[in-house]
């Protein structure tokens, strides 16, 4: 017999006539999936910061969960400022040493497990508001490219050692397929920076204290770089309730 559709989609079966559990009814996975309107997608909002390494790991786990689920999912990245008082030029990092490595063993191994090379090569802890402004531009004007831009920003900082500001943001916009002139002009606007700071503050005030923080179809579900199975379960629950 096939695996129960309700177990596949929600992690549990409460039916009294399940063909797998009690051998009575004939629901299939396709029938459960097809209850979702054809034009309806699950919305996953991720509150994160560009300097959060666990946010990149969480992104990779989210993408694996989406692939495994086969569900239609839109991902939106929203701002959080881990260091809201950071000056625009950033802060110089202390030299790496055996007693103070920039990338600890646990983070290094967790990154490698999902194909990420954390190098600690960037010499400054950055001011991330401009990077969030660029992500906001993508969300508003080219939403299909925001997730790709987030990947580029993570890689630039954590692997390439590139500071997320100035010409480096322009290069990120180009790599993600954005119109660089429009994107950078938008990301440099002071009113956009003020909006980013306000949204980040609101996210903190709403109870978000750790990132990544995941919201699925408007419902807060969990924080942290959750394993693929946990995210997959949340997606299936969202599909079942759509």
């Amino acid at each position: 017999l096939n695996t129960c559709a309700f177990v596949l989609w929600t992690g549990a079966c409460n039916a009294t006539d399940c063909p797998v559990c009690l051998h009575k009814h004939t629901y299939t996975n396709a029938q459960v999936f097809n209850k979702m309107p054809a034009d309806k997608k699950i919305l996953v909002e991720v509150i994160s910061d560009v300097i959060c390494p666990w946010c990149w790991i969480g992104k990779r786990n989210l993408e694996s969960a989406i692939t495994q689920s086969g569900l239609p999912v839109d991902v939106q990245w929203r701002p959080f400022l881990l260091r809201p008082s950071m000056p625009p030029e950033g802060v110089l990092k202390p030299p790496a040493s055996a007693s103070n490595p920039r990338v600890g063993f646990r983070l290094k191994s967790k990154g490698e497990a999902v194909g990420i090379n954390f190098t600690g090569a960037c010499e400054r802890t950055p001011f991330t508001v401009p990077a969030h402004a660029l992500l906001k531009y993508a969300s508003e004007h080219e939403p299909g490219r925001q997730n790709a831009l987030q990947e580029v920003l993570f890689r630039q900082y954590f692997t390439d050692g590139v500071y997320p500001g100035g010409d480096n943001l322009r290069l990120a916009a180009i790599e993600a397929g954005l119109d660089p002139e429009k994107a950078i002009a938008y990301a440099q606007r002071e009113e956009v920076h003020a909006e980013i700071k306000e949204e980040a503050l609101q996210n903190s005030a709403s109870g978000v204290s750790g990132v990544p923080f995941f919201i699925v179809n408007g419902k807060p579900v969990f924080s942290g770089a959750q394993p693929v199975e946990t995210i997959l379960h949340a997606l299936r629950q969202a599909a079942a309730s759509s």
Side-chain angles (χ1 to χ4, degrees), residues 88-113:
E89 68 276 10
V91 172
L92 190 66
K93 296 178 182 178
S97 66
S99 61
N100 185 32
R102 289 181 178 173
V103 181
F105 174 78
R106 179 169 175 262
L107 178 60
K108 186 74 172 178
S109 60
K110 289 289 187 179
E112 289 174 347

Side-chain angles (χ1 to χ4, degrees), residues 26-48:
T26 57
Y27 288 121
T28 67
N29 295 325
Q31 286 173 315
V32 175
F33 178 83
N34 288 336
K35 288 184 179 181
M36 291 183 64
D39 60 347
K40 186 175 180 62
K41 291 185 176 183
I42 295 169
L43 174 61
V44 178
E45 298 167 87
V46 189
I47 299 173
S48 78

Side-chain angles (χ1 to χ4, degrees), residues 25-223:
H25 73 58
T26 57
Y27 288 121
T28 67
N29 295 325
Q31 286 173 315
V32 175
F33 178 83
N34 288 336
K35 288 184 179 181
M36 291 183 64
D39 60 347
K40 186 175 180 62
K41 291 185 176 183
I42 295 169
L43 174 61
V44 178
E45 298 167 87
V46 189
I47 299 173
S48 78
D49 200 356
V50 177
I51 58 171
C52 166
W54 297 102
C55 294
W56 195 9
I57 293 173
K59 180 179 184 293
R60 289 291 176 87
N61 289 345
L62 170 62
E63 289 164 346
S64 292
I66 291 171
T67 298
Q68 289 184 32
S69 75
L71 291 165
V73 179
D74 277 338
V75 180
Q76 292 182 5
W77 294 86
R78 294 172 50 192
F80 191 87
L81 299 177
L82 287 169
R83 301 194 179 187
S85 59
M86 183 68 64
E89 68 276 10
V91 172
L92 190 66
K93 296 178 182 178
S97 66
S99 61
N100 185 32
R102 289 181 178 173
V103 181
F105 174 78
R106 179 169 175 262
L107 178 60
K108 186 74 172 178
S109 60
K110 289 289 187 179
E112 289 174 347
V114 292
I116 294 172
N117 179 23
F118 288 110
T119 65
C122 189
E123 295 296 332
R124 287 182 293 155
T125 300
F127 174 66
T128 59
V129 170
H132 284 299
L134 191 62
L135 287 163
K136 182 177 173 68
Y137 170 85
S139 176
E140 293 181 356
H141 298 278
E142 300 188 58
R145 300 187 187 276
Q146 194 207 32
N147 197 54
L149 175 62
Q150 182 68 86
E151 181 72 19
V152 172
L153 292 170
F154 279 145
R155 193 208 70 230
Q156 281 187 335
Y157 176 62
F158 288 115
T159 300
D160 302 340
V162 171
Y163 188 90
D167 288 342
N168 295 329
L169 289 182
R170 188 176 188 278
L171 293 174
I174 292 171
E175 185 174 343
L178 303 176
D179 182 315
E181 306 308 323
K182 292 181 179 178
I184 295 305
Y186 178 96
Q188 290 176 338
R189 288 162 47 187
E190 288 299 324
E191 64 268 27
V192 175
H193 288 198
E195 291 170 3
I196 293 294
K197 292 175 182 178
E198 178 61 26
E199 184 178 353
L201 183 63
Q202 289 177 358
N203 287 334
S204 295
S206 71
V208 177
S209 58
V211 289
F213 189 93
F214 294 83
I215 301 169
V216 180
N217 283 349
K219 179 182 177 181
V221 288
F222 41 65
S223 64

